[in-house]
Amino acid sequence: MLPSITFLDLETTGATPLKDRITEIALVRFDEGVETARWQTLVNPQMAIPPFIQSLTGISNAMVEHAPLFSEVASQLLAFLEGTVLAAHNVRFDHGFLKTEFKRLGITLQQKVLCTVKLSRLLYPQHFSHGIDAIVARHKIEGIARHRAMGDVEAILHMLADARQEFGEAVIQSAAQKLMAAPVLPAHIDASLIGELPESPGVYKFYGEDDVSLYIGKGVNVRARVLAHFSSNKASGREVRLIQEIKRFEWIPTAGELSALLLETRLLKVQKPLYNRQLTHEHSLCSWQLDPLSQPVVRLVDGNDLDPSQMAGLFGTFKSKKQATEALRKIAERNGLCLKLLGLEGDSSGPCMAFRLKRCKGACCGLEPSEIHSLRLQQALVAHKLSTWPYPGKIGIEEYNMENDIRQIHVFEHWVYLGAADNDEDLQMLRAQNTPLHFELETYKLLLKVLPQKKTRVLNLAA
């Protein structure tokens, strides 16, 4: 399959590498297609194994009480992994735990990896599920200790044996090499940094000569996003120039996708990287405000005058007065509304020009009651109506990531982002904050998308 590959599986006390620990390790190493090593050991995690995990794996606290510590088997494990590719089912999980355990010992694990979940997807694209349970059922595997480290390794080896008979060694090797294809980094980029990139959410920043900010990006998998910049086969001239100018990069881990997006937006406004598309100047925004008792019945409200706490009666967000006027004129034409009452035609005597062209129902000359015209106008504008804040006050949106053990609460009030809290003290400060609110279209659109999602955890901070 590969010159040297080691299939490995871990059992752990939980899913968070920074909090949980390894309880069992099993591996099988192959060199030039021949099995050269098979090793397994229980590991004392130095913490209690939760009852659910004990029932799932069958590994009890009593079983690991006298097992070696990870520090006592680390050198032996490194010897097995030396010069080989580490293959695991959802390798991010196992590799993440190993990196964390070795880091506790002052060792930086730099290992080429292969995910057998992705390999299964390439080999068997017709199947929906590629978890180990699905593989066991699909390949009719019997006699293995499921949820024990060596049993799960043997399940993967069984799948690959079946695939070898079905497709041949060349197909498996080609799929593995495709998954492991590494981007070619420019000579001036420190390749060792690639190994440190997290496979979790965050923001990354590219810098050029004299630490000039070149580009800021985000991703749910920072490592994959950064590598994508260097491995794109369809890079534009602009992207090629960016890659050539990068001298170094850094990253900031976040609790999730929302946290990364909010951080990216803030950094873009502050640093204004050369290769990012510049954000819209929101101070030029404007919106139509409906007031049936005034003349004209709508007036344009400048973005600086938009009060996020008073969104009722506002329709549309436009980049300029010209764009707003054109949009209102089209709405009037489609719905037979009076240009004079809308303030789109000069205050001359007689009916408006639209009435003469039979595009107005005569509100300007008494043929249509103004109340009816106002109702039709409201109906025509409903698709552009801005949403009012659906909460009694401030809210927090909480994100937590098990892989990096980061928890963040983002505080909002009347569609305005007030900041992120990483601890209770910061949260209380944001709850007590009382500053003028400035409407931001990007935040408004983001919350309209995020708040209805079932996965969004909203905390009521108004109490």
Side-chain angles (χ1 to χ4, degrees):
M1 182 175 175
L2 293 171
S4 181
I5 185 168
T6 297
F7 295 90
L8 175 142
D9 187 75
L10 304 176
E11 299 302 329
T12 65
T13 61
T16 309
L18 295 177
K19 287 184 177 180
D20 295 303
R21 304 297 292 268
I22 294 172
T23 58
E24 188 176 37
I25 307 170
L27 61 83
V28 178
R29 175 167 174 156
F30 291 83
D31 292 287
E32 302 299 338
V34 177
E35 181 179 325
T36 56
R38 181 177 288 250
W39 178 70
Q40 61 181 321
T41 180
L42 291 169
V43 178
N44 186 336
Q46 298 179 281
M47 64 181 296
I49 303 174
F52 169 75
I53 300 297
Q54 291 188 56
S55 63
L56 179 68
T57 65
I59 301 175
S60 66
N61 290 312
M63 291 170 62
V64 298
E65 183 178 0
H66 301 294
L69 304 179
F70 183 84
S71 59
E72 295 173 325
V73 301
S75 59
Q76 189 176 4
L77 177 57
L78 280 175
F80 284 122
L81 296 178
E82 184 178 1
T84 188
V85 172
L86 169 63
H89 218 59
N90 187 11
V91 74
R92 285 177 57 184
F93 178 88
D94 301 86
H95 191 222
F97 264 92
L98 290 179
K99 286 196 298 184
T100 302
E101 289 283 13
F102 279 115
K103 189 174 182 179
R104 292 188 179 106
L105 302 177
I107 299 172
T108 300
L109 180 66
Q110 295 185 346
Q111 198 81 32
K112 291 183 178 180
V113 298
L114 173 66
C115 181
T116 51
V117 172
K118 295 179 180 179
L119 184 61
S120 176
R121 287 176 183 148
L122 279 180
L123 295 173
Y124 298 97
Q126 70 274 26
H127 294 289
F128 175 76
S129 180
H130 297 271
I132 291 183
D133 283 335
I135 287 173
V136 168
R138 187 171 78 207
H139 294 271
K140 299 180 174 57
I141 302 173
E142 299 177 351
I144 64 168
R146 181 70 180 97
H147 293 299
R148 290 298 297 269
M150 186 58 78
D152 289 350
V153 169
E154 289 175 341
I156 301 307
L157 295 179
H158 191 123
M159 175 196 75
L160 291 174
D162 284 355
R164 193 172 288 109
Q165 287 187 351
E166 185 174 354
F167 308 116
E169 179 65 28
V171 171
I172 300 175
Q173 187 173 5
S174 175
Q177 290 175 343
K178 180 179 179 180
L179 291 173
M180 293 190 61
V184 179
L185 299 180
H188 57 273
I189 296 293
D190 184 358
S192 65
L193 288 175
I194 296 296
E196 300 177 20
L197 284 166
E199 296 180 320
S200 53
V203 171
Y204 58 93
K205 299 185 282 186
F206 293 154
Y207 293 94
E209 200 73 47
D210 298 324
D211 259 6
V212 171
S213 180
L214 297 178
Y215 185 85
I216 295 175
K218 69 178 185 307
V220 293
N221 183 331
V222 171
R223 177 184 173 85
R225 286 293 299 124
V226 171
L227 291 181
H229 284 279
F230 300 106
S231 60
S232 176
N233 295 324
K234 300 180 180 179
S236 65
R238 183 181 176 86
E239 291 169 332
V240 171
R241 290 195 301 273
L242 168 62
I243 293 170
Q244 292 173 342
E245 292 182 35
I246 297 172
K247 300 301 180 185
R248 70 177 186 90
F249 58 86
E250 59 186 37
W251 59 91
I252 303 173
T254 64
E257 186 175 8
L258 174 64
S259 302
L261 176 58
L262 292 168
L263 177 59
E264 179 197 38
T265 301
R266 180 173 64 82
L267 291 175
L268 288 174
K269 291 179 179 179
V270 173
Q271 297 189 13
K272 295 181 172 56
L274 297 178
Y275 283 87
N276 284 94
R277 296 181 183 275
Q278 297 304 313
L279 297 174
T280 303
H281 295 292
E282 294 186 347
H283 64 267
S284 63
L285 290 174
C286 50
S287 181
W288 288 110
Q289 185 174 50
L290 176 63
D291 184 357
L293 300 179
S294 66
Q295 183 62 33
V297 292
V298 290
R299 71 180 183 90
L300 203 57
V301 180
D302 184 82
N304 291 325
D305 298 325
L306 283 178
D307 184 348
S309 65
Q310 304 293 326
M311 302 284 278
L314 291 178
F315 299 86
T317 52
F318 306 98
K319 296 179 181 179
S320 65
K321 179 179 179 180
K322 179 181 178 181
Q323 185 188 64
T325 301
E326 290 177 351
L328 185 60
R329 189 177 294 278
K330 289 179 180 178
I331 291 173
E333 291 175 358
R334 287 196 300 267
N335 296 276
L337 299 170
C338 179
L339 298 180
K340 186 176 289 188
L341 267 64
L342 296 179
L344 298 177
E345 189 174 298
D347 188 16
S348 59
S349 59
C352 67
M353 182 60 69
F355 178 77
R356 298 169 189 171
L357 297 174
K358 298 183 179 181
R359 296 175 182 171
C360 166
K361 296 188 177 181
C364 49
C365 54
L367 294 180
E368 180 183 35
S370 59
E371 295 84 359
I372 300 299
H373 182 271
S374 293
L375 288 174
R376 293 199 303 110
L377 173 58
Q378 291 182 52
Q379 186 176 16
L381 289 173
V382 71
H384 304 273
K385 183 177 177 60
L386 299 188
S387 298
T388 56
W389 185 240
Y391 302 97
K394 294 176 182 175
I395 64 165
I397 297 182
E398 183 179 17
E399 278 195 318
Y400 175 67
N401 188 281
M402 291 190 300
E403 293 184 29
N404 54 27
D405 195 30
I406 295 178
R407 185 186 306 275
Q408 293 176 305
I409 298 177
H410 300 279
V411 180
F412 300 86
E413 183 178 17
H414 295 296
W415 308 110
V416 178
Y417 182 44
L418 302 182
D422 298 319
N423 52 62
D424 290 340
E425 183 179 352
D426 289 345
L427 182 60
Q428 293 308 317
M429 289 179 61
L430 289 171
R431 291 184 68 174
Q433 182 175 310
N434 186 19
T435 57
L437 302 178
H438 174 65
F439 179 78
E440 293 182 336
L441 179 59
E442 288 183 344
T443 305
Y444 171 76
K445 289 182 175 179
L446 174 64
L447 289 177
L448 288 178
K449 178 180 178 181
V450 169
L451 289 175
Q453 296 177 5
K454 292 183 179 180
K455 66 178 182 180
T456 302
R457 186 181 181 191
V458 178
L459 309 177
N460 185 359
L461 304 180

